[in-house]
Amino acid sequence: MTPDSLSALSDSLFSITVALYSLAVVAFCAQLAFGRRPTRTPELVGAGTAAAGPGEPAGESRQGRRWGLVAMGLTVLGVLTHAGVLVARGLATDRLPWGNMYEFATATVLVAVVAFVVFAVKVPALRHLGLFVLAPVVLALVLIGLFLYADAGPLVAALRSYWLAIHVTTAIIGFGIFFVSGIASVMYLVRSRYEARLADGEPAQTGIVARLPAAAALDRVAHRTAVFGFPIWTFAVIAGAIWAEAAWGRFWGWDPKETWAFIAWVVYAAYLHARTTAGWRGRPAAWVNVVGLVVMIFNLLFVNMVSTGLHSYAGLS
Protein backbone atom coordinates (compact mmCIF):
# COMPACT_ATOMS: atom_id res chain seq x y z
CA MET A 1 0.00 0.00 0.00
CA THR A 2 1.13 3.54 -0.69
CA PRO A 3 1.72 6.07 2.10
CA ASP A 4 -1.42 7.95 1.06
CA SER A 5 -3.58 4.83 1.21
CA LEU A 6 -2.11 3.85 4.59
CA SER A 7 -2.83 7.34 5.90
CA ALA A 8 -6.42 7.09 4.62
CA LEU A 9 -6.72 3.65 6.26
CA SER A 10 -5.52 5.12 9.56
CA ASP A 11 -8.16 7.85 9.36
CA SER A 12 -10.88 5.31 8.56
CA LEU A 13 -9.82 3.09 11.48
CA PHE A 14 -9.98 6.15 13.74
CA SER A 15 -13.65 6.66 12.82
CA ILE A 16 -14.38 2.94 13.26
CA THR A 17 -12.70 3.03 16.69
CA VAL A 18 -14.89 5.91 17.83
CA ALA A 19 -17.97 4.01 16.62
CA LEU A 20 -16.96 0.79 18.44
CA TYR A 21 -16.21 2.59 21.68
CA SER A 22 -19.52 4.47 21.41
CA LEU A 23 -21.39 1.16 21.04
CA ALA A 24 -19.43 -0.14 24.02
CA VAL A 25 -20.63 2.85 26.05
CA VAL A 26 -24.24 1.97 25.16
CA ALA A 27 -23.64 -1.65 26.18
CA PHE A 28 -22.04 -0.60 29.47
CA CYS A 29 -25.09 1.61 30.12
CA ALA A 30 -27.31 -1.41 29.52
CA GLN A 31 -25.18 -3.47 31.90
CA LEU A 32 -25.71 -0.89 34.64
CA ALA A 33 -29.41 -0.60 33.83
CA PHE A 34 -30.27 -4.32 33.73
CA GLY A 35 -27.67 -5.83 36.01
CA ARG A 36 -28.17 -5.82 39.76
CA ARG A 37 -25.43 -4.34 41.94
CA PRO A 38 -22.99 -7.02 43.11
CA THR A 39 -23.66 -8.13 46.68
CA ARG A 40 -19.96 -7.84 47.30
CA THR A 41 -16.97 -6.73 45.25
CA PRO A 42 -14.20 -9.28 44.74
CA GLU A 43 -10.68 -8.46 45.66
CA LEU A 44 -8.21 -7.60 42.94
CA VAL A 45 -7.36 -11.26 42.91
CA GLY A 46 -9.95 -13.98 42.65
CA ALA A 47 -13.13 -14.10 40.61
CA GLY A 48 -16.62 -13.75 42.00
CA THR A 49 -18.52 -16.51 43.72
CA ALA A 50 -19.81 -19.86 42.75
CA ALA A 51 -23.38 -18.54 42.60
CA ALA A 52 -22.42 -16.09 39.89
CA GLY A 53 -20.39 -18.52 37.84
CA PRO A 54 -16.68 -18.57 37.18
CA GLY A 55 -15.25 -15.12 36.75
CA GLU A 56 -18.60 -13.33 37.05
CA PRO A 57 -19.54 -10.59 39.51
CA ALA A 58 -21.54 -11.96 42.42
CA GLY A 59 -25.23 -11.01 42.46
CA GLU A 60 -25.36 -9.63 38.91
CA SER A 61 -28.27 -10.73 36.73
CA ARG A 62 -27.72 -12.90 33.70
CA GLN A 63 -28.91 -10.10 31.44
CA GLY A 64 -26.44 -7.72 33.05
CA ARG A 65 -23.60 -10.19 32.55
CA ARG A 66 -24.52 -10.59 28.89
CA TRP A 67 -24.47 -6.85 28.33
CA GLY A 68 -21.16 -6.70 30.15
CA LEU A 69 -19.67 -9.33 27.83
CA VAL A 70 -20.99 -7.48 24.78
CA ALA A 71 -19.50 -4.25 26.08
CA MET A 72 -16.13 -5.86 26.71
CA GLY A 73 -16.17 -7.50 23.28
CA LEU A 74 -16.83 -4.15 21.62
CA THR A 75 -14.10 -2.57 23.72
CA VAL A 76 -11.55 -5.21 22.70
CA LEU A 77 -12.50 -4.76 19.04
CA GLY A 78 -12.07 -1.05 19.54
CA VAL A 79 -8.61 -1.61 21.02
CA LEU A 80 -7.61 -3.59 17.91
CA THR A 81 -8.81 -0.91 15.49
CA HIS A 82 -7.34 1.76 17.78
CA ALA A 83 -3.95 0.07 17.57
CA GLY A 84 -4.46 -0.18 13.82
CA VAL A 85 -4.79 3.61 13.65
CA LEU A 86 -1.26 4.01 14.97
CA VAL A 87 0.22 1.09 13.05
CA ALA A 88 -1.13 2.39 9.74
CA ARG A 89 0.01 5.93 10.57
CA GLY A 90 3.49 4.65 11.44
CA LEU A 91 3.74 2.65 8.19
CA ALA A 92 2.53 5.65 6.20
CA THR A 93 5.19 7.93 7.68
CA ASP A 94 7.94 5.33 8.22
CA ARG A 95 8.45 6.45 11.81
CA LEU A 96 7.04 6.01 15.29
CA PRO A 97 3.44 7.27 15.20
CA TRP A 98 3.62 9.80 18.00
CA GLY A 99 5.37 12.78 16.51
CA ASN A 100 2.57 15.34 17.06
CA MET A 101 -0.29 15.98 19.47
CA TYR A 102 -2.82 14.03 17.38
CA GLU A 103 -0.70 10.92 17.47
CA PHE A 104 0.47 11.38 21.05
CA ALA A 105 -3.07 11.86 22.38
CA THR A 106 -4.41 8.95 20.32
CA ALA A 107 -1.70 6.66 21.69
CA THR A 108 -2.30 7.86 25.26
CA VAL A 109 -6.02 7.07 25.04
CA LEU A 110 -5.16 3.61 23.69
CA VAL A 111 -2.96 2.90 26.71
CA ALA A 112 -5.79 3.99 29.02
CA VAL A 113 -8.27 1.61 27.37
CA VAL A 114 -5.79 -1.27 27.44
CA ALA A 115 -5.17 -0.65 31.15
CA PHE A 116 -8.91 -0.74 31.79
CA VAL A 117 -9.34 -3.96 29.79
CA VAL A 118 -6.55 -5.64 31.77
CA PHE A 119 -8.21 -4.77 35.09
CA ALA A 120 -11.68 -5.68 33.84
CA VAL A 121 -10.50 -9.11 32.68
CA LYS A 122 -8.70 -9.72 35.96
CA VAL A 123 -11.65 -8.55 38.08
CA PRO A 124 -15.00 -8.85 36.26
CA ALA A 125 -16.76 -6.66 38.83
CA LEU A 126 -14.67 -3.72 37.62
CA ARG A 127 -16.46 -3.88 34.28
CA HIS A 128 -19.00 -1.62 35.96
CA LEU A 129 -16.38 1.12 35.51
CA GLY A 130 -16.59 0.71 31.75
CA LEU A 131 -19.10 3.51 31.24
CA PHE A 132 -16.98 5.95 33.23
CA VAL A 133 -13.79 5.05 31.36
CA LEU A 134 -15.16 4.65 27.82
CA ALA A 135 -17.40 7.74 27.87
CA PRO A 136 -14.42 10.09 28.49
CA VAL A 137 -12.45 8.05 25.94
CA VAL A 138 -15.09 8.64 23.24
CA LEU A 139 -15.23 12.35 24.11
CA ALA A 140 -11.44 12.57 24.03
CA LEU A 141 -11.19 10.86 20.65
CA VAL A 142 -13.88 13.10 19.15
CA LEU A 143 -12.04 16.19 20.37
CA ILE A 144 -8.72 14.77 19.16
CA GLY A 145 -10.16 14.17 15.71
CA LEU A 146 -11.79 17.60 15.53
CA PHE A 147 -9.10 19.83 16.99
CA LEU A 148 -5.78 17.98 17.07
CA TYR A 149 -5.76 16.15 13.74
CA ALA A 150 -2.58 16.52 11.69
CA ASP A 151 -1.83 15.08 8.28
CA ALA A 152 0.65 12.23 8.14
CA GLY A 153 4.12 13.55 7.51
CA PRO A 154 7.75 13.46 8.56
CA LEU A 155 8.95 14.43 12.01
CA VAL A 156 9.99 17.97 12.74
CA ALA A 157 13.75 18.32 13.12
CA ALA A 158 13.60 18.61 16.92
CA LEU A 159 12.08 15.12 17.22
CA ARG A 160 14.44 13.25 14.91
CA SER A 161 16.23 11.33 17.63
CA TYR A 162 16.20 7.84 19.08
CA TRP A 163 15.09 9.52 22.31
CA LEU A 164 11.62 9.83 20.76
CA ALA A 165 11.22 6.08 21.18
CA ILE A 166 12.35 6.29 24.81
CA HIS A 167 11.05 9.54 26.26
CA VAL A 168 7.78 9.96 24.38
CA THR A 169 6.84 6.27 24.57
CA THR A 170 7.22 6.16 28.35
CA ALA A 171 5.35 9.47 28.68
CA ILE A 172 2.44 7.99 26.69
CA ILE A 173 2.35 4.86 28.85
CA GLY A 174 2.56 6.82 32.09
CA PHE A 175 -0.17 9.28 31.09
CA GLY A 176 -2.50 6.49 29.93
CA ILE A 177 -2.12 4.61 33.21
CA PHE A 178 -2.63 7.77 35.27
CA PHE A 179 -5.85 8.41 33.33
CA VAL A 180 -7.35 5.14 34.59
CA SER A 181 -6.06 5.85 38.10
CA GLY A 182 -7.69 9.29 38.09
CA ILE A 183 -11.05 7.94 36.87
CA ALA A 184 -10.95 5.27 39.59
CA SER A 185 -10.33 7.96 42.22
CA VAL A 186 -13.25 10.03 40.94
CA MET A 187 -15.51 6.98 41.18
CA TYR A 188 -14.08 6.20 44.62
CA LEU A 189 -15.04 9.68 45.85
CA VAL A 190 -18.58 9.22 44.56
CA ARG A 191 -18.97 5.68 45.88
CA SER A 192 -17.40 6.36 49.30
CA ARG A 193 -19.83 9.22 49.88
CA TYR A 194 -22.71 6.89 49.05
CA GLU A 195 -21.40 4.23 51.44
CA ALA A 196 -20.99 6.85 54.16
CA ARG A 197 -24.65 7.76 53.76
CA LEU A 198 -25.61 4.11 54.04
CA ALA A 199 -23.57 3.86 57.24
CA ASP A 200 -25.51 6.84 58.61
CA GLY A 201 -28.76 4.96 58.12
CA GLU A 202 -29.98 6.39 54.83
CA PRO A 203 -31.92 3.93 52.64
CA ALA A 204 -30.09 2.19 49.79
CA GLN A 205 -30.52 3.58 46.29
CA THR A 206 -30.97 1.79 42.99
CA GLY A 207 -29.12 4.25 40.74
CA ILE A 208 -25.78 4.06 39.00
CA VAL A 209 -23.76 4.80 42.15
CA ALA A 210 -25.27 1.77 43.89
CA ARG A 211 -24.07 -0.45 41.05
CA LEU A 212 -20.44 0.64 41.22
CA PRO A 213 -17.80 -1.63 42.77
CA ALA A 214 -17.17 -1.07 46.47
CA ALA A 215 -15.18 2.03 47.41
CA ALA A 216 -12.35 -0.09 48.81
CA ALA A 217 -11.92 -1.88 45.46
CA LEU A 218 -11.93 1.41 43.54
CA ASP A 219 -9.34 2.81 45.92
CA ARG A 220 -7.11 -0.20 45.33
CA VAL A 221 -7.41 0.17 41.55
CA ALA A 222 -6.48 3.86 41.77
CA HIS A 223 -3.53 3.13 44.03
CA ARG A 224 -2.14 0.14 42.16
CA THR A 225 -2.34 1.81 38.77
CA ALA A 226 -0.61 4.90 40.19
CA VAL A 227 2.09 2.70 41.75
CA PHE A 228 2.63 1.11 38.33
CA GLY A 229 2.56 4.39 36.42
CA PHE A 230 4.72 6.48 38.75
CA PRO A 231 8.13 4.88 37.99
CA ILE A 232 7.29 4.97 34.27
CA TRP A 233 6.53 8.70 34.49
CA THR A 234 9.68 9.21 36.57
CA PHE A 235 11.74 7.56 33.86
CA ALA A 236 10.00 9.69 31.21
CA VAL A 237 10.97 12.89 33.05
CA ILE A 238 14.57 11.73 33.47
CA ALA A 239 14.79 10.64 29.82
CA GLY A 240 13.39 14.00 28.77
CA ALA A 241 16.11 15.78 30.74
CA ILE A 242 18.82 13.66 29.10
CA TRP A 243 17.34 14.35 25.66
CA ALA A 244 17.22 18.08 26.48
CA GLU A 245 20.92 18.04 27.32
CA ALA A 246 21.71 16.34 24.02
CA ALA A 247 19.47 18.67 21.99
CA TRP A 248 19.78 22.02 23.75
CA GLY A 249 22.89 21.70 25.90
CA ARG A 250 21.16 21.71 29.29
CA PHE A 251 19.33 19.11 31.36
CA TRP A 252 16.68 21.46 32.69
CA GLY A 253 15.55 24.93 31.68
CA TRP A 254 12.10 25.29 33.30
CA ASP A 255 10.43 25.24 29.91
CA PRO A 256 6.60 25.15 30.45
CA LYS A 257 6.43 21.49 29.41
CA GLU A 258 9.29 20.54 31.70
CA THR A 259 7.82 22.53 34.57
CA TRP A 260 4.38 20.96 34.38
CA ALA A 261 5.80 17.48 33.90
CA PHE A 262 7.72 17.98 37.14
CA ILE A 263 4.63 19.38 38.88
CA ALA A 264 2.72 16.26 37.84
CA TRP A 265 5.53 14.10 39.23
CA VAL A 266 5.37 15.96 42.56
CA VAL A 267 1.58 15.57 42.75
CA TYR A 268 1.70 11.83 42.14
CA ALA A 269 4.55 11.43 44.60
CA ALA A 270 2.37 13.28 47.11
CA TYR A 271 -0.55 10.98 46.33
CA LEU A 272 1.46 7.81 46.88
CA HIS A 273 2.82 9.25 50.11
CA ALA A 274 -0.63 10.39 51.26
CA ARG A 275 -2.10 6.98 50.45
CA THR A 276 0.10 5.46 53.18
CA THR A 277 -0.09 8.33 55.68
CA ALA A 278 -2.54 8.30 58.58
CA GLY A 279 -5.03 11.12 58.25
CA TRP A 280 -4.62 11.33 54.48
CA ARG A 281 -5.84 7.91 53.46
CA GLY A 282 -9.14 7.62 51.70
CA ARG A 283 -10.84 10.71 50.35
CA PRO A 284 -8.02 13.26 50.93
CA ALA A 285 -5.55 11.07 49.07
CA ALA A 286 -8.08 10.45 46.29
CA TRP A 287 -8.47 14.20 45.81
CA VAL A 288 -4.70 14.50 45.38
CA ASN A 289 -4.87 11.83 42.66
CA VAL A 290 -7.67 13.72 40.90
CA VAL A 291 -5.52 16.87 41.01
CA GLY A 292 -2.74 14.84 39.38
CA LEU A 293 -5.05 13.89 36.50
CA VAL A 294 -6.08 17.53 36.03
CA VAL A 295 -2.41 18.56 35.94
CA MET A 296 -1.65 15.89 33.32
CA ILE A 297 -4.53 17.03 31.10
CA PHE A 298 -3.49 20.66 31.55
CA ASN A 299 0.06 19.73 30.57
CA LEU A 300 -1.16 17.96 27.44
CA LEU A 301 -3.62 20.59 26.22
CA PHE A 302 -2.89 24.06 27.56
CA VAL A 303 0.89 23.82 27.61
CA ASN A 304 1.03 22.43 24.07
CA MET A 305 -1.69 24.57 22.51
CA VAL A 306 -1.43 27.91 24.32
CA SER A 307 1.98 28.41 25.92
CA THR A 308 5.18 28.85 23.97
CA GLY A 309 8.46 27.11 24.60
CA LEU A 310 11.00 24.68 23.23
CA HIS A 311 8.34 21.93 23.20
CA SER A 312 6.02 23.86 20.86
CA TYR A 313 5.91 21.34 18.01
CA ALA A 314 2.45 19.86 18.45
CA GLY A 315 1.76 19.74 14.72
CA LEU A 316 -1.21 22.11 14.96
CA SER A 317 -1.84 24.75 12.37
Side-chain angles (χ1 to χ4, degrees):
M1 298 178 69
T2 65
D4 288 342
S5 61
L6 285 168
S7 178
L9 174 61
S10 176
D11 294 344
S12 297
L13 288 173
F14 188 93
S15 299
I16 293 171
T17 299
V18 173
L20 288 171
Y21 286 157
S22 298
L23 291 174
V25 168
V26 174
F28 278 122
C29 287
Q31 180 192 26
L32 289 174
F34 298 115
R36 292 187 293 113
R37 181 178 65 86
T39 55
R40 69 178 183 87
T41 301
E43 301 292 333
L44 291 183
V45 292
T49 63
E56 297 173 347
E60 187 177 23
S61 69
R62 180 175 298 178
Q63 191 175 17
R65 290 196 293 272
R66 287 176 178 174
W67 277 112
L69 290 175
V70 169
M72 289 302 301
L74 289 168
T75 301
V76 171
L77 285 176
V79 166
L80 295 177
T81 58
H82 198 159
V85 172
L86 297 171
V87 171
R89 172 65 73 113
L91 293 174
T93 56
D94 195 27
R95 59 171 174 78
L96 288 175
W98 34 81
N100 52 56
M101 272 195 67
Y102 168 74
E103 296 167 359
F104 180 92
T106 300
T108 298
V109 173
L110 173 61
V111 172
V113 179
V114 170
F116 162 71
V117 169
V118 170
F119 270 93
V121 169
K122 187 175 182 181
V123 186
L126 295 180
R127 293 174 189 171
H128 288 79
L129 286 180
L131 171 63
F132 308 100
V133 174
L134 268 294
V137 161
V138 171
L139 176 61
L141 288 177
V142 169
L143 295 177
I144 289 168
L146 289 176
F147 300 109
L148 301 182
Y149 179 80
D151 292 329
L155 289 172
V156 298
L159 295 178
R160 293 171 188 169
S161 169
Y162 63 89
W163 281 104
L164 177 70
I166 302 173
H167 169 60
V168 180
T169 301
T170 51
I172 288 171
I173 296 172
F175 192 174
I177 293 171
F178 284 149
F179 179 85
V180 175
S181 181
I183 293 296
S185 280
V186 171
M187 293 300 100
Y188 165 78
L189 291 169
V190 174
R191 175 69 187 190
S192 63
R193 186 173 183 181
Y194 169 75
E195 291 182 1
R197 290 177 176 176
L198 291 181
D200 291 337
E202 293 189 16
Q205 301 175 2
T206 58
I208 291 178
V209 176
R211 302 172 190 272
L212 289 174
L218 293 171
D219 187 42
R220 286 193 294 273
V221 170
H223 179 240
R224 293 184 183 185
T225 47
V227 167
F228 184 68
F230 183 72
I232 297 175
W233 185 254
T234 301
F235 180 81
V237 173
I238 295 172
I242 297 173
W243 189 4
E245 196 279 333
W248 303 317
R250 88 292 189 278
F251 287 100
W252 200 266
W254 297 106
D255 179 81
K257 193 74 172 179
E258 297 170 347
T259 302
W260 283 97
F262 178 69
I263 291 173
W265 184 90
V266 171
V267 172
Y268 281 106
Y271 165 68
L272 294 177
H273 178 71
R275 184 60 173 64
T276 58
T277 302
W280 277 87
R281 299 171 186 168
R283 293 178 64 85
W287 276 113
V288 176
N289 197 23
V290 173
V291 169
L293 178 61
V294 172
V295 170
M296 293 291 288
I297 295 174
F298 179 85
N299 189 20
L300 173 65
L301 298 179
F302 183 85
V303 174
N304 277 324
M305 300 174 67
V306 179
S307 67
T308 58
L310 293 174
H311 287 81
S312 299
Y313 35 72
L316 302 177
S317 57

